[in-house]
Amino acid sequence: MNRFHVAERALRRAAPHRLLEALCEVLVEQYAVSCVDLYMADYGLSVLQPVSVLPHTDEPISVHNTAPGRAFGSQEPFVEASEQGPRVHLPVTVRGDRLGVLTLSLPEESVSPDVLGELREIAEILGHEVIVAERDTDVYLQARRRSRLTLAAEMQWQLLPGRSCSRREYQIGAQLEPAYAIHGDNFDWSATADQLLLYVTNGMGEGIEASLLTNLGINALRNARRAGISIEDQAALADQAIYAQHRGSLHLSVLLLDFDLDSGRVRVVDAGSPRMMRMSAKGGVETVDLDAQLPLGMFEETDYVAQEFSVEPGDRLLFVSDGVYEVASPLGERYGEKALARAMTATRLLPAAEVPRAVLRELTVHRGRPMPDDDALVVCLDWYGR
């Protein structure tokens, strides 16, 4: 058995809270590693938090202008020279969802392309095991937070599928702000061999009320989706569930999109306020105009109709909640579609996973203060097609 498989077996057999310890033992023995550290990206994607025993005493590392941050941003191994010898920083990523960075100290003579390739695969296996382990331990979830989440934010983050996802046909990146006190905005996705379903929701209300509403709406949509029915019927069933609970006093705005991975045909139900913009491969930016229908839960037994458009290879779609396009500057200037078009152009060279944070940073500058008054949600989808 080669040493890569030794590491893989050790991770699969380790107790959920002991993944790092089990991996460290193997790496010391098989690769002569002298130091092993695992850093998890925090909810705001601004720092890398060390995985350690509570209370955490190690300092977080910025994702900007640091060696681990460089590996996290580029999603490539980065070798850092130091007085104690080379330090190798490896992205820990699962199907495009960027979890963090694994940092190792190696002997000088051990750093080679073959070894880096093996270690990169081990870091990927570690990522998969972390996702599985989170069902049984809070160690890795606790390491993701710089400060305590509000209860509403805890509920929202547990509802999300991830913050990024990649396949041959597309790449998705998404981010919510403020990360530690979000209200009702949300996103969800699910894919099969030939189909991608994407939901972008804009919740009504604040705090627990907003989070409960979003949880009801998203789980109603998932329940309908898993029954294999169309997006217009998914919207109708979720509408009925929300109306039955709140009798029209609360409602949920949502964009439901159904992408055909073969043809690029998109069926969409626009039930509210999330906005969609498209940038073509040539760089032109336009708003995708849709016929707005009633938000979910406003009236009993609302019928929804799907519209259609197509995406071409090289297209980038940007989805934002009203906490983005309605934000006013200190002078009262609305952020709006022109600013979003400029942001899409300015970030055109970034991968989809990096775009939401870049747009939210620009939004903070426009707002003139660090904390928003409302949730700000940005979802970016790059379409490659088949």
Side-chain angles (χ1 to χ4, degrees), residues 268 270 275-278 286-291 309 317:
V268 56
D270 178 2
R275 300 291 178 88
M276 174 169 50
M277 301 188 71
R278 172 166 53 187
E286 64 176 355
T287 301
V288 180
D289 291 320
L290 300 168
D291 295 332
F309 69 98
L317 300 178

Side-chain angles (χ1 to χ4, degrees), residues 145-319:
R145 51 196 71 189
R146 299 182 67 180
S147 58
R148 183 177 177 179
L149 297 176
T150 64
L151 178 55
E154 186 84 52
M155 294 169 67
Q156 293 292 79
W157 282 111
Q158 291 301 305
L159 194 61
L160 297 177
R163 286 179 294 195
S164 50
C165 176
S166 62
R167 273 182 51 171
R168 178 169 58 93
E169 299 91 350
Y170 60 83
Q171 187 177 77
I172 304 173
Q175 182 62 16
L176 276 167
E177 290 290 351
Y180 292 85
I182 53 180
H183 300 148
D185 291 1
N186 205 268
F187 54 87
D188 193 30
W189 58 69
S190 178
T192 65
D194 301 306
Q195 180 187 43
L196 167 67
L197 287 166
L198 174 65
Y199 308 147
V200 184
T201 62
N202 189 359
M204 178 183 178
E206 296 182 359
I208 295 298
E209 181 181 61
S211 186
L212 288 171
L213 173 65
T214 303
N215 269 262
L216 174 60
I218 288 292
N219 279 295
L221 288 169
R222 287 175 175 173
N223 178 255
R225 180 182 78 208
R226 291 163 185 168
I229 63 179
S230 65
I231 56 169
E232 53 264 51
D233 289 335
Q234 292 176 33
L237 288 175
D239 170 72
Q240 291 172 23
I242 294 172
Y243 184 82
Q245 183 68 28
H246 297 288
R247 313 306 296 181
S249 62
L250 294 176
H251 53 266
L252 183 70
S253 299
V254 59
L255 269 174
L256 299 91
L257 300 106
D258 179 356
F259 293 82
D260 182 87
L261 300 183
D262 271 328
S263 66
R265 182 177 60 86
V266 187
R267 302 181 72 249
V268 56
V269 172
D270 178 2
S273 63
R275 300 291 178 88
M276 174 169 50
M277 301 188 71
R278 172 166 53 187
M279 181 168 64
S280 69
K282 296 180 180 179
V285 180
E286 64 176 355
T287 301
V288 180
D289 291 320
L290 300 168
D291 295 332
Q293 301 173 68
L294 292 173
L296 306 183
M298 287 194 73
F299 299 102
E300 190 172 10
E301 295 185 358
T302 304
D303 290 326
Y304 292 91
V305 178
Q307 303 166 70
E308 292 190 9
F309 69 98
S310 294
V311 284
E312 300 292 335
D315 281 359
R316 167 170 286 180
L317 300 178
L318 194 72
F319 309 91

Side-chain angles (χ1 to χ4, degrees), residues 2 18 29 86 106 109 123 135 141 179-180 183 227 237 283 286-287 364:
N2 65 40
R18 290 196 71 253
E29 179 183 341
L106 283 170
E109 63 276 9
R135 299 181 306 181
L141 291 171
Y180 292 85
H183 300 148
L237 288 175
E286 64 176 355
T287 301
T364 300

